[in-house]
Amino acid sequence: METGFHLYCLLPASRVDPAEVRGIDGREVIELHVEDLGVWCSPCEKSPAPDLDRIRAHDRVIRGASTETVTALPFRFGQWFAERSTMESRILGQAPHYREALDEVAGAVEFGIRLEESTEGSAMKPSEGQTSESEAAAVTGAGAGAEYLRRLAREREEREIRYSHGESTLEELHRLVAGFTRKIRVDPVAGRGSIASAAHLVPHPRIEPYRDALAAFMKDRVALELRLTGPWPPYSFADAGTSA
Amino acid sequence: MDALTPETDGPLADVALVELLNRVLDRGVVITGEVVISVANVDLLYLNLSLLLSSFETLDSRTGPGTGAS
């Protein structure tokens, strides 16, 4: 009986054995071959809804597909096909791009960095586009509207200064780690509480010097905090060759 | 804690969790028509286009002419 497939990742075929990892909901993970590409997937009758356990399992399978020399190309959660033939034809249609992306990420991992203002930081820290309830309550009476608008304008200006500072700091950091990264992706939106955010693709042999470079960058900086997460599978670089 | 230690547990686990969600739901190879939207890297809204369309058709049929719905 035909069943659907939930996809985890792509990698060069027959290089890593999927038998030792379990997929979402404890399902078995199998490798289907599309020419020289291996597709790690779990037979799955219908598209699984995302929840925390499944998301973690999805990530775990992708990590299990990677070694120091083979780096799997992650599928975004939710890639499910009812028919194997449809899945194969879709992958076949983009196979040159996937091969290019696999070459690009081979032997490398992703690190995520976020630059944030130090918690001891500046007076600009509280403004994140919202006025607190107590502030809003204090704004009453004649002239209150004008004062409220001035405050919004001031907060917007402070935000712009902060993000501009984040961009220039990030550029400085990227110059420092350029020799240890294969590729860098800067997030256009840093996210709540951050002033800059980026993903770095780092080859395995350069991980330690990369960390050392980040540590050197942060030395003596008191107004900034650096959040480093990883190593991750190369989620942020999986669209290499297919992105516009 | 060393600021450069990967933050996968402890008080900063939320950071790693947000990063995980952001990656698994919003990045990676896409070959089907499902869409994930992230807001501020925290609030995530998952839209299955086919589900959305079928829901819209259902809604449309229930609120169409003759149903009395406004």
Side-chain angles (χ1 to χ4, degrees):
Chain A
M1 188 180 108
E2 184 74 18
T3 185
F5 298 94
H6 169 85
L7 309 188
Y8 299 102
C9 56
L10 276 168
L11 65 163
S14 304
R15 294 282 298 277
V16 185
D17 183 3
E20 294 187 3
V21 296
R22 304 304 292 181
I24 57 171
D25 303 329
R27 294 171 188 270
E28 71 166 333
V29 178
I30 60 174
E31 180 175 290
L32 302 178
H33 291 174
V34 181
E35 294 187 340
D36 57 335
L37 298 172
V39 183
W40 279 30
C41 57
S42 283
C44 209
E45 302 74 31
K46 58 181 182 179
S47 180
D51 63 30
L52 201 49
D53 286 341
R54 287 172 175 166
I55 286 168
R56 284 183 165 137
H58 184 90
D59 178 67
R60 197 164 52 241
V61 170
I62 298 166
R63 290 172 185 271
S66 298
T67 69
E68 284 210 1
T69 53
V70 175
T71 302
L73 203 60
F75 280 112
R76 186 178 301 187
F77 192 99
Q79 304 301 295
W80 178 85
F81 285 88
E83 296 176 358
R84 178 174 174 171
S85 58
T86 308
M87 180 269 289
E88 289 177 343
S89 67
R90 290 279 183 88
I91 291 176
L92 209 49
Q94 295 291 324
H97 296 300
Y98 297 145
R99 291 187 190 106
E100 181 185 335
L102 281 167
D103 284 345
E104 186 169 86
V105 301
V109 293
E110 174 179 331
F111 284 93
I113 63 158
R114 284 184 187 280
L115 288 174
E116 300 175 357
E117 286 184 304
S118 170
T119 47
E120 298 96 45
S122 75
M124 295 188 288
K125 180 74 174 179
S127 59
E128 191 58 52
Q130 292 183 339
T131 304
S132 71
E133 289 181 16
S134 59
E135 286 174 318
V139 178
T140 56
E147 172 56 28
Y148 176 69
L149 291 175
R150 273 196 296 275
R151 182 180 301 152
L152 286 184
R154 188 168 60 244
E155 289 175 351
R156 185 168 58 247
E157 185 180 352
E158 287 173 351
R159 265 202 314 281
E160 287 170 355
I161 291 171
R162 195 162 66 239
Y163 289 132
S164 169
H165 172 61
E167 284 178 13
S168 61
T169 306
L170 197 60
E171 286 173 8
E172 186 183 343
L173 186 153
H174 284 163
R175 281 194 295 274
L176 195 67
V177 299
F180 312 113
T181 54
R182 189 179 293 166
K183 199 169 181 183
I184 288 171
R185 171 179 161 166
V186 177
D187 294 329
V189 179
R192 186 177 298 167
S194 301
I195 58 174
S197 173
H200 297 163
L201 187 65
V202 182
H204 278 284
R206 296 183 188 166
I207 290 177
E208 284 314 309
Y210 164 76
R211 287 175 181 275
D212 292 343
L214 290 181
F217 177 80
M218 290 306 294
K219 192 171 183 291
D220 299 329
R221 287 181 192 269
V222 293
L224 275 182
E225 289 183 5
L226 175 68
R227 303 263 181 248
L228 177 70
T229 59
W232 300 96
Y235 289 100
S236 302
F237 304 95
D239 57 355
T242 56
S243 59
Chain B
M1 178 179 175
D2 185 339
L4 299 181
T5 301
E7 293 154 350
T8 53
D9 54 17
L12 296 174
D14 285 351
V15 175
L17 179 59
V18 169
E19 295 283 341
L20 173 68
L21 295 175
N22 193 34
R23 281 172 169 75
V24 174
L25 294 179
D26 199 34
R27 297 179 185 179
V29 175
V30 175
I31 51 176
T32 68
E34 294 183 336
V35 176
V36 173
I37 298 172
S38 67
V39 179
N41 291 334
V42 176
D43 306 311
L44 295 151
L45 176 62
Y46 184 90
L47 297 177
N48 180 311
L49 289 180
S50 58
L51 181 64
L52 185 67
L53 290 172
S54 66
S55 297
F56 177 79
E57 287 167 1
T58 304
L59 181 67
D60 192 41
S61 68
R62 287 180 181 171
T63 59
T67 61
S70 57

